[in-house]
Amino acid sequence: MPQGSSHRVVLIVDENSNPFEMSCAIEVFGLRRPELGRQLYDFTLCAAEPHTRMRDGFFTLTGVAGLEAADGADTLIVPNRPDTDTPRSPRVLDAVRRAHARGARLVGFCSGAFTLAEAGLLDGRRAACHWMWTDSFRSRFPQVRLEPDVLFVDDGDILTASGSASALDLGLHLVRRDHGAEIANHVSRRLVFAAHRDGGQRQFVERPVPEVRDESLGPLLAWAQGRLGEPLTVADLAARAAVSPATLHRRFQAQLGTTPLAWLTGERVALACRLIERGEERLDVVAARSGLGTAANLRARVRRETGLSPSAYRRRFGTGAGEAVTA
């Protein structure tokens, strides 16, 4: 796990790379955070050439580190660009392969999955890419287990995000994985971005303009977030919104790309993680306050979301690091 700014995140920028994803990486991993009293990451931009023309010639990037910086990365963000049919630079692909061989974590935003696949690192593995390139990707890389219509895929040491905005989702997911829910929530607030969207949510969600009244889920979500410890059900949410459960389900799918139950469970797990981080040791109390019910359900949900037991999660992210959580 990264400690302070010792974890080195390096982003490779290649010819015709997208500026937006580069900016997402800088926002999440590169900004100074004096309000936290420490830096989360040591961030570096690098490129194979001293002058790198960005997408559609919007500008030329200069003054960044050389490609050798990639050899020191703990997390390496690989290049992406819209012309997916053009082969990547052999020098860039070699740098990505070297990083993988020495155990670095690899990240691809949007069409970055093509870079990872060209490097031969995705065969037999799960990956995500933008919905526009699903057919092209599958035809070129049939050995990759592409997961269409998801925001991002976390396959352990290789993570891929489907599109531009989901680069932020994946970036916050990495912060949460590295530093816990509390720090990830802080970063998301500074971004004015949703703190947590599960990677399995849909890439494309319909947001029709309401014909008669505002059908935004915002007020309902805020109401539910203030009552997670109560025995809320999907029926309760539907009653609060004055619609049928079926209508509520359709609105969640259209506006959030997930189901009411999945959203409610995700919010409860996030709250449970924050309570653990803040020092609550009694799992039955955490389960009750987060609405997860029992300590057994809490353990299962936290492990599924974070890959850690509650006790391991607290040792890693809690204020009283090293003390065991009472089972």
Side-chain angles (χ1 to χ4, degrees):
M1 183 196 89
Q3 297 291 334
S5 60
S6 62
H7 187 96
R8 293 161 294 182
V9 177
V10 177
L11 168 64
I12 300 177
V13 181
D14 202 5
E15 187 74 12
N16 213 23
S17 285
N18 279 326
F20 182 83
E21 285 81 355
M22 178 183 72
S23 300
C24 289
I26 294 171
E27 282 283 340
V28 174
F29 302 109
L31 293 190
R32 296 188 179 278
R33 304 192 185 277
E35 66 277 13
L36 295 178
R38 60 189 173 96
Q39 287 300 103
L40 301 182
Y41 302 97
D42 176 4
F43 181 79
T44 302
L45 278 172
C46 76
E49 304 296 337
H51 296 78
T52 304
R53 182 177 180 271
M54 301 297 288
R55 177 178 181 173
D56 296 332
F58 288 138
F59 59 89
T60 298
L61 189 68
T62 63
V64 301
L67 192 59
E68 64 275 6
D71 290 330
D74 299 302
T75 293
L76 183 65
I77 305 175
V78 306
N80 71 320
R81 62 188 186 201
D83 55 332
T84 57
D85 291 333
T86 302
R88 276 18 177 211
S89 160
R91 291 178 60 202
V92 169
L93 294 179
D94 285 344
V96 173
R97 293 186 188 106
R98 288 197 304 272
H100 179 67
R102 61 180 171 77
R105 183 169 63 185
L106 303 181
V107 177
F109 293 149
C110 196
S111 58
F114 283 82
T115 304
L116 292 165
E118 283 184 42
L121 304 179
L122 287 181
D123 286 358
R125 302 189 64 155
R126 300 163 53 236
C129 75
H130 196 286
W131 58 268
M132 287 178 57
W133 294 307
T134 297
D135 292 341
S136 171
F137 188 93
R138 281 176 164 162
S139 65
R140 290 179 59 187
F141 308 109
Q143 301 305 314
V144 180
R145 294 163 54 196
L146 185 67
E147 297 193 3
D149 200 33
V150 299
L151 292 179
F152 63 84
V153 167
D154 180 344
D155 200 41
D157 60 339
I158 299 182
L159 302 93
T160 46
S162 60
S164 296
S166 60
L168 288 174
D169 290 300
L170 179 52
L172 288 171
H173 172 76
L174 286 168
V175 174
R176 188 179 306 107
R177 199 170 105 170
D178 294 340
H179 296 283
E182 196 74 24
I183 296 297
N185 284 345
H186 171 86
V187 175
S188 71
R189 285 195 300 271
R190 185 162 164 180
L191 285 166
V192 194
F193 192 76
H196 176 65
R197 291 200 298 169
D198 185 80
Q201 289 184 212
R202 293 164 54 203
Q203 289 183 38
F204 178 77
V205 294
E206 299 174 2
R207 299 181 184 271
V209 177
E211 296 180 0
V212 178
R213 60 183 182 182
D214 182 8
E215 294 183 346
S216 168
L217 289 171
L220 176 65
L221 302 185
W223 176 83
Q225 285 169 331
R227 296 165 174 80
L228 293 174
E230 300 176 13
L232 290 179
T233 64
V234 174
D236 294 327
L237 297 181
R240 176 69 182 183
V243 297
S244 69
T247 296
L248 185 71
H249 185 92
R250 287 194 295 271
R251 288 186 185 176
F252 264 77
Q253 289 286 5
Q255 295 184 37
L256 300 180
T258 189
T259 66
L261 181 59
W263 177 85
L264 189 58
T265 301
E267 291 295 311
R268 284 172 165 158
V269 172
L271 175 57
C273 288
R274 293 197 297 273
L275 291 172
I276 293 171
E277 289 180 38
R278 292 170 184 171
E280 178 54 67
E281 300 181 13
R282 298 162 296 177
L283 293 193
D284 56 342
V285 173
V286 174
R289 291 180 59 186
S290 63
L292 290 173
T294 67
N297 188 42
L298 169 68
R299 291 189 189 94
R301 295 293 182 178
V302 170
R303 184 177 291 278
R304 178 179 178 183
E305 175 64 27
T306 69
L308 300 169
S309 68
S311 57
Y313 186 90
R314 184 171 183 271
R315 284 194 297 271
R316 178 174 293 189
F317 301 118
T319 54
E323 299 175 13
V325 176
T326 301

